[in-house]
Amino acid sequence: MYDLLLLMSMVCGTIYVLVLGFLVLSLVRKRRASVAPNTVVAPPDKGLRHVLVVWSGFIIAALSVLVLGSFLADRGLARMQDAEVLDVRVNGHQWWWRIAYREPGGTSWIETANELHLPIDRTTRIQLVSGDVIHSFWVPNLAGKTDVVPGRNNSLDLTPRKTGWFRGQCAEYCGLQHAHMALDVKVDTAGEFAAWIARQKETAHPPTGDAVASRGLALIETGTCGLCHTIRGTAAQGRAGPDLTHIASRHSLAAGSLPMSRGALQGWIAQPQAVKPGTLMPFIPLEPADLNAIAHYLEQRQ
Ligand code: HEC
Ligand SMILES: [Cu+2]
């Protein structure tokens, strides 16, 4: 890209200087001519035609060089992206984001939700699909909006240049909790990203020596939670809600509705309809001890 910019600047700069040069020349010549107003105007120069042909040839050659340069740069760009691109699927749901990463060097997908990690200085190709209505993927400080439309595969290439947290937001009104459909985006260094993806890939080990956590897991597996949520490595394999395998590693809860903490987890599970009225997670009556056990187990799902 830089080479192309240099080439374009050189060719255009040369032409610019030539044009200005001739302009100045013509001004100077005119002034000299005005010194002798009675001079007879010379007949049209026969050599003029040759000069014009030479100049046209020069301009065509210069433009051809630019076309060739731009073609080669485009091809290089496309080839580079195909080689190093990281594939991510983002699936918009009322009112949260399902996210899946293609395993590095593999063919299977690693699922998570509501928090998108991107490696710095590397192109991530995000496939955008919808599970229900039209949403819009928007991370204002990284890229423009791209609609997420049912039955359509939209895609977006992102190459972040700065690490840190960025806020994303659904940008197409999609129902009651549209405003609570945020997306946390974290741009990682290459090392951080590799560590993060390796951890997301891990399945959940059964809690050992922690009776409360074991009880929490059993309640999730045998109760209704497991019908809607997946915790990889356990019997919970539901698909209606976000993957909870590493829920506690996330920055926030329920698509940016609450900052992640033990208290927020417990509050959300106790009263999802109070935090996010209309959310597709129903109110599930739980005994305080059961609620405590479930929250205790999930809090450890780093
Ligand atoms: C009918 C399906 C359903 C059931 C049953 C259900 N959930 Fe959910 N759950 C959802 C949906 C849908 C969401 C996303 C809600 C949103 O953000 O609007 C969700 C969100 C969550 C979240 C936040 C996830 C995130 O990425 O921030 C947690 C934690 C959670 N549920 C735990 C539970 C637990 C524990 C139970 C059992 C007591 C349970 N859920 C039962 C559907 C369900
Ligand atoms: Cu929306």
Side-chain angles (χ1 to χ4, degrees):
M1 276 323 261
Y2 178 71
D3 290 347
L4 182 63
L5 185 73
L6 213 65
L7 179 71
M8 291 218 164
S9 309
M10 261 157 47
V11 173
C12 296
T14 311
I15 292 178
Y16 180 72
V17 167
L18 280 176
V19 167
L20 279 193
F22 279 113
L23 186 69
V24 169
L25 205 70
S26 73
L27 288 177
V28 171
R29 276 172 79 170
K30 190 158 173 241
R31 202 165 301 145
R32 213 188 294 141
S34 66
V35 174
N38 290 333
T39 348
V40 183
V41 177
D45 188 351
K46 280 259 176 68
L48 191 61
R49 186 175 296 165
H50 297 289
V51 173
L52 278 179
V53 168
V54 170
W55 277 112
S56 306
F58 170 72
I59 290 168
I60 290 172
L63 289 181
S64 306
V65 167
L66 287 189
V67 168
L68 191 72
S70 140
F71 172 75
L72 290 178
D74 261 5
R75 237 182 35 166
L77 214 63
R79 202 177 307 138
M80 185 181 77
Q81 284 184 352
D82 282 345
E84 301 181 3
V85 82
L86 171 74
D87 279 320
V88 178
R89 279 194 205 137
V90 173
N91 196 334
H93 288 274
Q94 282 175 321
W95 292 278
W96 57 283
W97 305 93
R98 188 192 300 280
I99 300 172
Y101 286 79
R102 190 197 290 279
E103 193 188 328
T107 49
S108 60
W109 294 77
I110 302 165
E111 195 168 312
T112 174
N114 294 330
E115 188 171 307
L116 187 65
H117 282 241
L118 302 172
I120 192 167
D121 291 335
R122 202 176 141 195
T123 301
T124 301
R125 182 160 299 160
I126 301 177
Q127 304 282 346
L128 293 162
V129 290
S130 168
D132 37 47
V133 300
I134 301 179
H135 302 276
S136 183
F137 178 93
W138 192 34
V139 189
N141 288 329
L142 288 183
K145 295 174 191 173
T146 307
D147 275 356
V148 180
V149 184
R152 260 192 79 95
N153 256 324
N154 284 347
S155 102
L156 173 70
D157 282 1
L158 281 182
T159 314
R161 301 290 181 201
K162 227 174 90 186
T163 54
W165 286 97
F166 298 86
R167 187 187 157 88
Q169 172 66 42
C170 176
E172 177 77 43
Y173 180 71
C174 58
L176 217 52
Q177 287 297 335
H178 161 67
H180 282 145
M181 189 169 163
L183 176 69
D184 292 318
V185 181
K186 171 86 194 309
V187 178
D188 290 330
T189 62
E192 281 169 351
F193 181 76
W196 178 82
I197 197 90
R199 208 172 59 181
Q200 295 296 315
K201 198 183 150 186
E202 284 173 12
T203 55
H205 300 296
T208 45
D210 183 340
V212 180
S214 303
R215 191 168 130 78
L217 173 58
L219 285 163
I220 291 173
E221 288 179 314
T222 56
T224 47
C225 316
L227 300 177
C228 290
H229 293 285
T230 292
I231 300 176
R232 279 173 278 129
T234 75
Q237 295 290 332
R239 298 282 302 158
D243 186 295
L244 301 180
T245 312
H246 298 281
I247 174 71
S249 74
R250 304 212 253 278
H251 194 62
S252 69
L253 194 61
S257 302
L258 295 169
M260 179 61 70
S261 71
R262 163 65 190 263
L265 260 175
Q266 197 151 332
W268 168 259
I269 299 164
Q271 292 285 346
Q273 298 294 331
V275 177
K276 219 169 156 175
T279 173
L280 299 182
M281 170 152 161
F283 164 66
I284 297 158
L286 289 167
E287 293 300 323
D290 293 351
L291 176 60
N292 177 60
I294 290 175
H296 179 67
Y297 171 73
L298 287 180
E299 158 187 52
Q300 297 173 6
R301 294 290 349 122
Q302 281 288 335

